[in-house]
Amino acid sequence: MIGPVVMKFGGTSVGGATAMLQVARIVSRTTGDRVVVVSAMSGVTDALLAAGAAACSGDAGDVAARVAFLEARHRAAVDALFPSGTAARELWTDIAVHLEDLRAVLRSAAVLREVTPRGLDRVAAVGELLSSRIIAALLGSQGIAARWVDARCAVLTDANFGAAQPLAERTHLAISREMRPVLATDEIPVVGGFVGATEAGVTTTLGRGGSDYSAALIGEALEACEIQIWTDVDGMLTADPRVVADAQPVAHLSFDEASELAYFGAKVLHPSTIIPAIARNIPVRILNTARPENPGSVITARRSPGFRPLAAIACKRHVTVVNVTSTRMLLAHGFLRRVFEVFERHATSVDVVTTSEISVSMTLDDDRRIAAIERDLAEFATVQVERELAIVSAVGDNLRADPALAVSVIAAFGRLPLRMVSQAASRRNVTVVLDDADVAAAMSRLHAEFFSTVGVER
Ligand code: ADP
Ligand code: ASP
Ligand code: MG
């Protein structure tokens, strides 16, 4: 038996009534078993988190206005999609329950002038709960048998609010339990991405952009034949289109290439998405909701030998570098352990690391706890913090086979000052750290060197 296609639609793809109708069109044109995973309507997660922050100031009026705005946004979509009638009334009854819950959580936060990470997850989850309710009802109203599935019953996680980790085995079982019976009756399960719950039923979220990850977890549990990520660009592009104007779609990438690109800033894919896909060797396809006829990008275990040396380039902007220097580091075992323990204690992950005999430099993209980190490191080393830097990464499986390629990547940066240079053991990427102000120049030089001259790979 062939497994279902998991179809995940991102925020812009469900951004309003017109976009949602296009989603219904795409789902209806796909044959066989399907599972639909949706993000919140574009901008809604940001608005919910802002409402949570507003509650901390205790301004109940401001909070109420923000919720009213969110309600109106969803109301407008529902009114445009459903002529008044029983279906619309039932849908709005379900939506009202989520909105009432949201109001209650925010009211109590405003009274306390504090929102805990646990409370904030309950708030942030509302976006996906609402959008998935609307899409399930929309498919039903178009004669496509669909059933809403509560993500909080399907994706079971630890209690690391804001970036919860799925509990692999339990999530696997819960997804099967919630979705297989729906598929067995030829209905399409429709579920909000990004959202999960602890085993005790406390709402969690998987971290920003986490709907892709939800889709992949579902794909793994149901042994999907394909995981489709429907978004607002034509696939994984050769570079971030916001930085390089002539970025082009990459037809085919390997799992390893895609996960390195996602890790180093290609926002189109959440960095964890590929892990469940690898586990079951499920192809991941990235497609444009606005142009469904385009082939998009396909990600599989191995890339077909293309004529492009690199798969794509990526960048992460506004990162902070911490330089730790100590003459005692010279030959001292245990020094790096002490350094990394500090980052662990402050729950901050590091991306790129380079070392010399007396110093170690690390990049962080989340520097919220930098003051405490700096204080702790200063107890045993000299610390220097540099802001407004950026990571640029060139990714391609060919870097493993062709040592000259890494040299040409570095050469392409010309005289732009590089602060750090790194090639990890995977040898699938060459990564540099430079001033954020130099990112556009660095990316366009790399792009011109490796992509613009070769033409479109198809
Ligand atoms: P969605 O809401 O559909 O999940 P995202 O905003 O999370 O969409 O991801 C899509 C965006 O990722 C694109 O609009 C694009 O601006 C950005 N992006 C960054 N790097 C890349 C890349 N290499 N290829 C494609 N998109 C990229
Ligand atoms: N809505 C969530 C976010 O904006 C998750 C997602 O879109 O993937 O981060
Ligand atoms: Mg996304």
Side-chain angles (χ1 to χ4, degrees):
M1 236 193 69
I2 302 175
V5 181
V6 176
M7 310 175 78
K8 177 262 169 177
F9 294 90
T12 345
S13 305
V14 294
T18 313
M20 288 176 169
L21 285 169
Q22 174 73 347
V23 167
R25 216 169 289 133
I26 291 169
V27 173
S28 71
R29 283 183 198 157
T30 305
T31 50
D33 285 350
R34 287 145 287 176
V35 177
V36 171
V37 182
V38 292
S39 290
M41 294 175 76
S42 51
V44 164
T45 309
D46 285 338
L48 286 163
L49 293 173
C56 295
S57 67
D59 186 345
D62 181 26
V63 171
R66 287 171 187 271
V67 178
F69 177 79
L70 281 165
E71 174 166 355
R73 173 108 189 262
H74 289 85
R75 181 99 236 181
V78 170
D79 286 349
L81 291 170
F82 301 90
S84 54
T86 321
R89 265 196 309 278
E90 279 176 11
L91 170 60
W92 199 259
T93 308
D94 292 333
I95 288 179
V97 172
H98 297 300
L99 288 173
E100 194 36 57
D101 186 62
L102 173 67
R103 285 199 174 89
V105 176
L106 289 173
R107 254 196 313 265
S108 73
V111 170
L112 297 169
R113 297 190 177 225
E114 182 197 18
V115 60
T116 58
R118 173 178 168 147
L120 204 55
D121 265 4
R122 178 112 164 220
V123 167
V126 171
E128 269 72 8
L129 294 172
L130 294 181
S131 61
S132 56
R133 288 277 193 192
I134 299 174
I135 293 292
L138 176 63
L139 293 177
S141 76
Q142 302 213 339
I144 309 164
R147 193 168 339 152
W148 184 74
V149 170
D150 191 336
R152 295 166 296 186
C153 301
V155 177
L156 301 181
T157 70
D158 64 14
N160 183 21
F161 298 104
Q165 278 300 322
L167 308 171
E169 199 49 40
R170 286 169 203 277
T171 292
H172 192 127
L173 289 173
I175 289 171
S176 293
R177 187 192 61 226
E178 296 295 315
M179 297 192 185
R180 284 194 194 274
V182 181
L183 290 167
T185 56
D186 283 333
E187 289 175 303
I188 299 177
V190 179
V191 64
F194 178 58
V195 175
T198 64
E199 286 184 277
V202 180
T203 305
T204 55
T205 66
L206 305 179
R208 296 307 304 266
S211 295
D212 300 336
Y213 192 19
S214 306
L217 291 165
I218 293 165
E220 181 188 12
L222 300 178
E223 296 169 74
C225 61
E226 184 165 291
I227 297 162
Q228 298 180 345
I229 305 291
W230 291 88
T231 184
D232 58 1
V233 283
D234 279 333
M236 175 69 81
L237 305 180
T238 47
D240 187 333
R242 294 164 297 184
V243 181
V244 176
D246 61 340
Q248 309 135 20
V250 182
H252 190 189
L253 300 95
S254 71
F255 286 139
D256 292 323
E257 289 173 329
S259 63
E260 301 239 4
L261 286 164
Y263 180 75
F264 285 114
K267 186 181 171 233
V268 69
L269 212 57
H270 183 278
S272 304
T273 312
I274 293 298
I275 304 162
I278 293 177
R280 292 219 183 249
N281 199 16
I282 304 168
V284 176
R285 205 177 281 277
I286 306 178
L287 294 149
N288 191 338
T289 308
R291 290 196 282 240
E293 63 289 350
N294 283 8
S297 302
V298 64
I299 308 166
T300 58
R302 245 169 286 287
R303 173 152 73 119
S304 49
F307 54 91
R308 273 180 178 162
L310 296 177
I313 56 179
C315 58
K316 242 189 200 180
R317 307 198 58 169
H318 311 295
V319 303
T320 295
V321 169
V322 181
N323 300 306
V324 180
T325 311
S326 166
T327 44
R328 273 179 294 159
M329 185 174 167
L330 195 69
L331 300 180
H333 53 79
F335 181 82
L336 286 177
R337 179 179 54 75
R338 287 187 76 185
V339 170
F340 288 116
E341 267 172 6
V342 171
F343 289 95
E344 189 184 351
R345 197 155 55 241
H346 297 289
T348 296
S349 56
V350 303
D351 287 338
V352 183
V353 181
T354 58
T355 62
S356 79
E357 199 175 17
I358 56 157
S359 71
V360 49
S361 301
M362 290 142 297
T363 66
L364 324 175
D365 60 348
D366 175 2
D367 67 359
R368 279 174 298 174
R369 300 189 177 101
I370 192 68
I373 291 171
E374 204 174 345
R375 191 187 56 228
D376 287 2
L377 290 170
E379 284 177 15
F380 58 93
T382 307
V383 190
Q384 185 207 9
V385 175
E386 292 181 274
R387 290 200 166 74
E388 284 309 297
L389 295 171
I391 299 171
V392 169
S393 196
V395 175
D397 288 341
N398 291 341
L399 281 160
R400 293 166 74 81
D402 179 3
L405 193 51
V407 178
S408 3
V409 169
I410 299 294
F413 291 111
R415 297 182 68 83
L416 288 175
L418 308 181
R419 303 298 195 83
M420 291 162 67
V421 178
S422 137
Q423 184 172 35
S426 79
R427 290 189 288 121
R428 223 169 252 115
N429 72 74
V430 173
T431 297
V432 304
V433 175
L434 34 65
D435 281 345
D436 192 76
D438 288 334
V439 163
M443 290 287 282
S444 59
R445 281 185 199 186
L446 265 186
H447 200 263
E449 178 70 26
F450 289 98
F451 300 102
S452 300
T453 51
V454 192
V456 181
E457 176 193 6
R458 287 236 182 268

